[in-house]
Amino acid sequence: MTVACVSRKAKPGAKRKLVLDQFAPYRIVALGHAVSGRLARAYRDENITIPEWRVLAVIGEASAVAARDVVKRTPMDKMTVSRAVASLEQKGFVKRAPHKDDRRVSMLSLSQEGRDVFDRIAALALDFEDDLMSTLEPEEAAAFRLALEKLEERAKAEDA
Amino acid sequence: MTVACVSRKAKPGAKRKLVLDQFAPYRIVALGHAVSGRLARAYRDENITIPEWRVLAVIGEASAVAARDVVKRTPMDKMTVSRAVASLEQKGFVKRAPHKDDRRVSMLSLSQEGRDVFDRIAALALDFEDDLMSTLEPEEAAAFRLALEKLEERAKAEDA
DNA sequence: CCGAATTGGTAACATATGTTACTAATTTGA
DNA sequence: TCAAATTAGTAACATATGTTACCAATTCGG
């Protein structure tokens, strides 16, 4: 497939201008925002907030995890996770059990009700993903996913 | 280039499981978060916040705009923009001029100092973009940009 | 024209999120 | 073995962000 987008190479001397519409980081963040807002519809009806959904999702796929693991797997700091867990526990969606040999950590798991909520939201989320990704050809989609991985790794790299 | 990622098609009957690492919307949002944090370094030293930078960027490329235009071009609501503009004006980076025939709107433009700040940040931002995108081959990068556009358009669509 | 809806922008309030500091449990290492 | 450093998690505080309501200026419809 031919692509209309102009490849912009770094020309050492030429001062490029910052044009938002062509500035990849901006476009990435903008897409993230749009996607995030769209996903929010899936759990708004369940009275679940964004951080809560993230916690649900991590616990949902791993059955039992510590809060610190949720922190590692999501873009949230530990306070946000702590609050979301407390709220989910309050609502009866998440249960805590003591870790057998480290009494600092609680192991988190879903209650049956929490599992139900998770399943409902997950179904909607997967539908959305299908709808979203259907705008790309299969090879395009695969390439996009691969690019996402590479870029994220690079973006997270600590070097200057 | 061969791609390891499995293409996941919607099989009407088979309940797929939600696996975060393979869930495209999650990966997109995560990349956005990483990119955003990385960009923040570029303006942290200038004592510029994220909303302020976005406002600077929009004004910087359009010379004179109304606040409502900033709202249209960025993922911020009008209150956030209003505050950022007020702060930038406070700092002497942005100037307001009355719109000639609509007295509700102020036209925003950069002061010389604001222009300088914008240029410094823009240079760092463009360097970051180069560094980030250099992880992709030119064709990959072009395809990625195209995919971003398609996906954003789809994600913003109001239906379903 | 002119009253009713609309729009640009802000204020005041509520909520959400990040930061710092702290407690309790555990690990480290001299 | 035990004081010092590390880790999991939370509390208390500050700040940032979203929501609602509002004012002033403008446009719309009759």
Side-chain angles (χ1 to χ4, degrees):
Chain A
M1 160 174 275
T2 325
V3 159
C5 188
V6 183
S7 150
R8 302 183 303 131
K9 258 284 180 48
K11 279 190 187 173
K15 270 177 230 150
R16 287 162 298 148
K17 268 195 77 174
L18 178 60
V19 178
L20 282 186
D21 285 344
Q22 296 167 19
F23 183 56
Y26 169 75
R27 300 307 298 264
I28 291 168
V29 172
L31 175 59
H33 188 263
V35 163
S36 196
R38 202 64 184 300
L39 268 180
R41 295 184 194 173
Y43 40 82
R44 185 185 325 262
D45 300 330
E46 304 276 359
N47 266 322
I48 296 288
T49 68
I50 299 182
E52 284 169 10
W53 160 244
R54 289 174 176 165
V55 171
L56 267 190
V58 172
I59 303 179
E61 82 171 10
S63 72
V65 296
R68 62 177 170 197
D69 300 318
V70 179
V71 173
K72 278 185 212 145
R73 288 173 175 64
T74 64
M76 300 188 285
D77 65 20
K78 54 183 195 166
M79 198 60 241
T80 308
V81 170
S82 174
R83 283 189 269 242
V85 168
S87 171
L88 288 170
E89 194 183 14
Q90 180 82 12
K91 294 175 182 172
F93 297 156
V94 162
K95 302 194 149 211
R96 299 184 196 229
H99 187 287
K100 55 185 170 198
D101 27 54
D102 190 338
R103 276 184 296 173
R104 290 171 303 181
V105 318
S106 301
M107 294 305 281
L108 309 171
S109 58
L110 298 185
S111 67
Q112 184 54 51
E113 197 183 351
R115 171 66 54 186
D116 294 343
V117 171
F118 170 75
D119 286 341
R120 283 197 296 274
I121 299 177
L124 292 177
L126 288 168
D127 286 347
F128 168 59
E129 183 187 31
D130 286 340
D131 177 65
L132 183 70
M133 299 304 283
S134 72
T135 62
L136 304 181
E137 299 300 317
E139 325 82 51
E140 266 183 302
F144 180 76
R145 287 170 183 276
L146 184 63
L148 276 181
E149 275 186 50
K150 289 185 185 175
L151 292 173
E152 188 176 350
E153 186 182 14
R154 184 68 181 166
K156 280 182 180 167
E158 271 308 316
D159 61 47
Chain B
M1 159 175 276
T2 325
V3 160
C5 190
V6 182
S7 152
R8 301 182 303 131
K9 260 281 180 50
K11 280 189 188 175
K15 271 176 228 149
R16 288 162 297 147
K17 268 195 76 174
L18 178 61
V19 178
L20 281 186
D21 285 344
Q22 296 167 18
F23 183 56
Y26 168 75
R27 299 308 298 265
I28 292 168
V29 173
L31 175 58
H33 189 262
V35 162
S36 196
R38 202 63 184 298
L39 268 179
R41 294 185 194 172
Y43 41 83
R44 186 184 317 270
D45 300 331
E46 304 276 359
N47 266 321
I48 295 287
T49 67
I50 299 182
E52 283 168 12
W53 159 243
R54 289 174 176 165
V55 171
L56 267 189
V58 172
I59 303 179
E61 82 171 8
S63 74
V65 294
R68 61 177 169 193
D69 300 318
V70 178
V71 173
K72 279 185 212 147
R73 288 174 175 66
T74 64
M76 299 188 286
D77 65 22
K78 54 183 195 169
M79 199 61 240
T80 307
V81 170
S82 174
R83 283 189 269 243
V85 168
S87 171
L88 288 170
E89 194 182 16
Q90 180 82 12
K91 293 174 182 174
F93 296 156
V94 163
K95 301 194 153 211
R96 298 184 197 230
H99 188 287
K100 55 185 167 196
D101 27 53
D102 189 337
R103 276 185 296 174
R104 290 172 302 181
V105 317
S106 301
M107 294 306 281
L108 309 170
S109 58
L110 297 185
S111 68
Q112 184 54 52
E113 197 184 350
R115 170 67 55 186
D116 294 343
V117 171
F118 170 74
D119 286 342
R120 284 196 296 275
I121 298 178
L124 292 177
L126 289 168
D127 286 347
F128 169 58
E129 182 187 32
D130 286 341
D131 178 65
L132 184 70
M133 298 304 282
S134 72
T135 62
L136 303 182
E137 299 301 317
E139 326 83 50
E140 266 184 304
F144 180 76
R145 288 171 184 275
L146 184 63
L148 276 182
E149 276 186 50
K150 290 185 185 175
L151 291 173
E152 188 176 350
E153 186 183 13
R154 184 68 181 162
K156 280 182 179 167
E158 273 307 316
D159 60 47

